Amino acid sequence: MTISIVLRLLGALALLIFGMKMMSEALQKMAGSGLRHVLARMTSNRFTGMLTGAFVTCAVQSSSATTVMTVSFVSAGLLTLAQAISVIMGANIGTTLTAWIMSLGYNVDLTNVVFPAFLIGMVLIYKKRHRVVGDFLFGLAFMFWSLVMLSSAGKSMDLEHNASVVAFFSSFDTDSYLTIFIFLAVGTLITCLVQSSAAVMAITILLCSTGVLPIYLGIALVMGENIGTTATANLAALGAGLEARRAALAHLLFNVFGVCWVLCVFYPFVNMVCRMVGYDPTLSGQATLLPIVLATFHTCFNVLNTALLLPFVAQMEQAVCRLLPEGREIAVKPVTVHFISAGLMATPEISVLQAQKEIVHFAERMQRMFGMTQSLLEEKDKKDFASQYERICKYEDIADNMEIEIANYLEKVSNEHLSDDTKGKIRSMLRQIGELESIGDACSKIARTIQHRKDSREDFSEQQYGRLREMMQLVNEALTQMMVVVSGRIENVTIDPSLDVENDINALRDKAKKESLQEMVDENDYSYVVSTIYMDIIAECERLGDYVINVVEARLGKRYLTYKGLQVNLDKKTVLMDGAPVNLTRTEFDLLSMLLSNRGQVLSRQKLMESIWAGVIVTERTVDVNIARLRKKLGPYAHNIANKQGFGYYFDEEMPIELATAQ
């Protein structure tokens, strides 16, 4: 065997791993959030969970990806341990498709597929809209090409005529269980090292197809690969929570149990599979059937193992709970974060989901912190006041730590190959955690101000206490609405309730400021010091309300139309011109938004009437009058609203307008 053939073999294996990874990632991007919704929803019972695991694994062509995804879901609290076990069982069935694809590569000429796939994939990649589909075709082409190269390298090695290689494998007694155990261990070890059961399966099929590796030893390697492939999920779960580690352990126990019962009936079972394919182990010259025998065994092994263990999911759950009891979790459980961990980096979609769950947890803590601040205002007992104040200070430290940990996690996720949609989600989350940390700072400042009032030995008047309670009740309502938005699906919530509460907070702040000055000067109800402390709390509550709105806007997306210094906020229906607000009527705002949205496109007066004045009878003169009024208010940007004589209007621009979602 020459060096060049060895390099071809290793290069083909590397290409196989790369192609499968590229194809798997592209499929996951194409599926997007739909993939996680499938996993989260289609697990109502163990049977549907098993089918879901098989379906997802067939789709992404990676049992490791499905298993790590499942472990991530358990860590995020979206799947129970029992549901995860059934999904993992299905993943083992789904991965058998890979073995069939590989056996196909040794029996069918795939070169007719490879190069057209490369060509179509390249065209789609340059068309950015279909880039992910192009990546999938490239991954598929790389995988098929690697199989062609492996088959070619196997023929070039001519192992069946290499006396030393034939003598080496012939030296093993295929009728000895000791030999089977040795090859089982070798398959497990190699799979753990290369972290790819597909690569080891390719090597096994290659050796069997040349005729030098007896079928019994090849199947022993395949069984070892089934155990070795569990290493990926177990390594991923090392830094995760207890439930995630239990799910990974269940995967290991499932495959080990399958290997154990097959070993008890090893030779009869293998002979049965051989008869199914029409292969006789005692005869030579049937090497072309060996890849099919391996794929058939792999399928039968996983299907029968799942059929045997599916009724005993509850017992498996109890077993892993005994092996990993609750008491051991204390030493490894994170102090601040619950759903993310530096050691658990799943697919980008799942990583983003975990981060969003952690943000919900972050928001819950900040609402709890504000509740402590509310109770601090009413606390009269000196000892209880000090204890509550200390708790608030600890929560401020927790908020700082959570912001850093979530940001670091998102930074790691952003280093992956991400779709534009996922990048936007990460930007949104980074803004959310920054604003949530600001809420913690605001709560801490309010608490310190309340402490200053206590140290001054002066108290608020009943009117001041009433307004403070009203303000804090409104802020708590804003936080509750924020929780609805943060924890819900974007399409099911709106910003309107949050804006209503924010307007009430602003109105109460203005009212409190006005009445405070009047009570202090005219009625002399309290001192200037108390008035200052009182207004500081009111102002900080109002700022906290602003932070809440910022979180909601970051979650839902704040849409703008912009042109140079002209900025239109489509959510708040406001317009800024070079930083200064422009007072437009609703009709004028709708006209400007429509023209900006269709920049460069001439809109007829009839089209404008149908869109802006739907259901109202107006004339073309009405359009002209409102356009003239809009131009007067836009100052230097008036000339951008141009008209086509006798037809309609359009927004004439010198540079593109960005219609974006500021995350």
Side-chain angles (χ1 to χ4, degrees):
M1 190 188 306
T2 63
I3 296 295
S4 63
I5 295 177
V6 172
L7 291 175
R8 281 171 58 195
L9 180 64
L10 294 176
L13 286 172
L15 194 63
L16 173 68
I17 295 172
F18 175 75
M20 293 197 70
K21 183 175 183 294
M22 190 175 183
M23 186 173 66
S24 176
E25 288 178 351
L27 281 164
Q28 290 172 59
K29 286 181 183 178
M30 278 193 282
S33 59
L35 193 62
R36 56 184 171 88
H37 291 318
V38 166
L39 268 178
R41 291 179 179 180
M42 294 181 63
T43 52
S44 55
N45 59 63
R46 64 190 68 180
F47 184 71
T48 57
M50 181 269 293
L51 292 178
T52 302
F55 166 75
V56 172
T57 305
C58 288
V60 301
Q61 277 300 289
S62 174
S63 62
S64 294
T66 305
T67 307
V68 171
M69 206 182 300
T70 304
V71 170
S72 303
F73 269 51
V74 175
S75 179
L78 294 176
L79 288 181
T80 64
L81 181 57
Q83 289 172 322
I85 292 171
S86 63
V87 172
I88 288 168
M89 289 179 176
N92 278 267
I93 295 176
T95 194
T96 60
L97 179 63
T98 305
W100 283 104
I101 292 173
M102 289 183 179
S103 66
L104 181 71
Y106 284 87
N107 292 281
V108 177
D109 184 10
L110 297 174
T111 52
N112 295 328
V113 179
V114 171
F115 297 108
F118 274 131
L119 178 62
I120 297 171
M122 180 62 72
V123 172
L124 292 176
I125 286 174
Y126 275 98
K127 287 188 174 182
K128 292 185 179 180
R129 186 178 176 185
H130 303 291
R131 181 170 184 171
V132 178
V133 180
D135 288 340
F136 166 73
L137 288 175
F138 253 61
L140 186 69
F142 279 133
M143 185 179 75
F144 283 167
W145 194 15
S146 67
L147 293 175
V148 172
M149 291 171 65
L150 282 171
S151 178
S152 175
K155 293 174 183 176
S156 301
M157 287 190 294
D158 197 24
L159 293 179
E160 63 268 32
H161 298 113
N162 190 316
S164 59
V165 175
V166 173
F168 173 75
F169 285 109
S170 299
S171 65
F172 293 98
D173 182 7
T174 56
D175 295 326
S176 169
Y177 265 96
L178 178 61
T179 302
I180 302 302
F181 278 117
I182 290 172
F183 275 79
L184 175 68
V186 169
T188 303
L189 180 62
I190 295 174
T191 307
C192 287
L193 290 175
V194 301
Q195 287 288 292
S196 174
S197 59
V200 185
M201 175 66 80
I203 295 172
T204 306
I205 292 176
L206 172 64
L207 291 173
C208 286
S209 66
T210 58
V212 297
L213 182 66
I215 188 61
Y216 296 110
L217 304 187
I219 285 176
L221 285 175
V222 171
M223 290 195 298
E225 293 156 17
N226 272 270
I227 297 176
T229 193
T230 64
T232 304
N234 278 277
L235 287 172
L238 282 178
L242 178 63
E243 289 299 306
R245 297 203 305 280
R246 284 174 174 172
L249 177 62
H251 187 206
L252 174 62
L253 292 180
F254 172 77
N255 283 13
V256 168
F257 175 82
V259 168
C260 289
W261 74 257
V262 168
L263 284 174
C264 294
V265 291
F266 182 75
Y267 290 102
F269 187 76
V270 173
N271 291 334
M272 180 196 72
V273 172
C274 290
R275 285 195 297 272
M276 289 171 60
V277 177
Y279 174 79
D280 188 348
T282 61
L283 300 177
S284 58
Q286 305 176 78
T288 54
L289 287 175
L290 286 174
I292 300 174
V293 174
L294 289 174
T296 305
F297 170 82
H298 196 220
T299 302
C300 291
F301 167 76
N302 283 295
V303 170
L304 288 175
N305 196 33
T306 299
L308 284 171
L309 287 179
L310 194 59
F312 301 101
V313 168
Q315 287 74 15
M316 284 186 67
E317 183 180 14
Q318 292 172 5
V320 295
C321 288
R322 288 195 196 99
L323 291 171
L324 287 175
E326 288 283 351
R328 298 183 186 180
E329 180 65 5
I330 297 171
V332 295
K333 191 172 181 178
V335 176
T336 56
V337 294
H338 287 181
F339 303 106
I340 63 175
S341 168
L344 182 60
M345 292 296 294
T347 59
E349 268 292 335
I350 306 304
S351 297
V352 169
L353 174 68
Q354 287 176 278
Q356 187 59 47
K357 292 282 287 183
E358 199 63 68
I359 288 172
V360 174
H361 175 224
F362 192 179
E364 287 172 349
R365 278 188 160 169
M366 292 305 95
Q367 186 174 27
R368 201 177 308 138
M369 184 179 180
F370 182 74
M372 296 175 194
T373 308
Q374 274 184 290
S375 65
L376 191 70
L377 178 68
E378 307 288 348
E379 188 60 63
K380 303 300 181 183
D381 185 83
K382 195 172 183 180
K383 186 177 179 180
D384 291 342
F385 185 96
S387 175
Q388 188 78 319
Y389 182 76
E390 186 179 353
R391 285 187 68 196
I392 293 171
C393 292
K394 286 181 179 178
Y395 262 70
E396 185 186 12
D397 292 336
I398 288 173
D400 293 339
N401 291 334
M402 287 193 76
E403 180 191 20
I404 292 169
E405 291 194 51
I406 298 172
N408 288 340
Y409 184 82
L410 289 172
E411 185 180 0
K412 289 181 181 179
V413 177
S414 64
N415 291 331
E416 301 291 320
H417 296 291
L418 305 174
S419 64
D420 291 339
D421 182 52
T422 305
K423 288 177 184 176
K425 289 178 182 176
I426 291 176
R427 288 193 298 270
S428 167
M429 290 178 182
L430 287 170
R431 185 183 171 200
Q432 287 176 57
I433 61 174
E435 299 295 342
L436 286 170
E437 194 275 334
S438 296
I439 290 175
D441 288 343
C443 290
S444 179
K445 288 177 184 177
I446 294 171
R448 284 198 297 271
T449 307
I450 294 172
Q451 187 184 48
H452 292 158
R453 192 274 309 162
K454 194 172 185 67
D455 292 340
S456 71
R457 297 187 179 181
E458 293 187 74
D459 206 353
F460 298 128
S461 68
E462 281 304 315
Q463 294 93 330
Q464 287 176 322
Y465 267 117
R467 291 190 209 101
L468 286 171
R469 292 187 188 109
E470 186 179 356
M471 174 62 83
M472 287 189 168
Q473 186 178 353
L474 282 173
V475 172
N476 192 54
E477 187 180 338
L479 285 165
T480 302
Q481 186 58 40
M482 179 191 76
M483 288 303 308
V484 172
V485 173
V486 171
S487 57
R489 297 188 66 175
I490 293 175
E491 57 268 27
N492 297 334
V493 292
T494 68
I495 197 173
D496 295 337
S498 296
L499 289 176
D500 291 340
V501 179
E502 170 66 6
N503 291 333
D504 291 341
I505 290 173
N506 292 339
L508 182 57
R509 175 205 55 192
D510 296 338
K511 178 183 176 183
K513 185 176 181 180
K514 180 181 178 181
E515 291 181 352
S516 176
L517 291 172
Q518 183 179 351
E519 289 166 1
M520 185 184 69
V521 176
D522 297 344
E523 302 173 19
N524 201 22
D525 284 353
Y526 38 78
S527 69
Y528 178 78
V529 172
V530 171
S531 176
T532 303
I533 293 173
Y534 164 72
M535 284 311 304
D536 284 346
I537 296 174
I538 291 288
E540 201 59 50
C541 285
E542 191 276 330
R543 272 193 287 272
L544 197 154
D546 290 341
Y547 299 141
V548 169
I549 280 292
N550 291 341
V551 172
V552 173
E553 287 179 342
R555 172 67 174 150
L556 297 180
K558 189 174 179 180
R559 296 179 300 132
Y560 290 104
L561 283 169
T562 62
Y563 173 76
K564 295 185 178 179
L566 191 63
Q567 186 181 84
V568 178
N569 186 324
L570 297 176
D571 291 317
K572 291 188 174 181
K573 300 198 179 298
T574 57
V575 177
L576 292 177
M577 186 170 63
D578 299 327
V582 182
N583 187 21
L584 298 182
T585 65
R586 182 61 181 268
T587 300
E588 291 164 356
F589 179 87
D590 290 343
L591 278 170
L592 178 60
S593 300
M594 190 170 182
L595 291 170
L596 275 172
S597 300
N598 298 275
R599 58 191 185 275
Q601 180 182 346
V602 180
L603 301 177
S604 68
R605 289 179 174 83
Q606 186 63 36
K607 174 71 175 175
L608 291 171
M609 286 190 292
E610 291 172 357
S611 301
I612 308 299
W613 291 273
V616 179
I617 299 175
V618 295
T619 65
E620 293 186 354
R621 174 66 180 161
T622 305
V623 178
D624 295 337
V625 169
N626 280 276
I627 288 288
R629 290 173 180 169
L630 177 61
R631 282 173 171 162
K632 286 181 181 179
K633 294 180 180 181
L634 291 183
Y637 300 96
H639 70 278
N640 292 101
I641 299 180
N643 70 304
K644 185 175 181 182
Q645 194 68 29
F647 184 73
Y649 296 89
Y650 64 99
F651 195 95
D652 187 13
E653 59 174 359
E654 299 170 4
M655 57 187 297
I657 294 182
E658 299 168 3
L659 176 53
T661 301
Q663 304 291 349

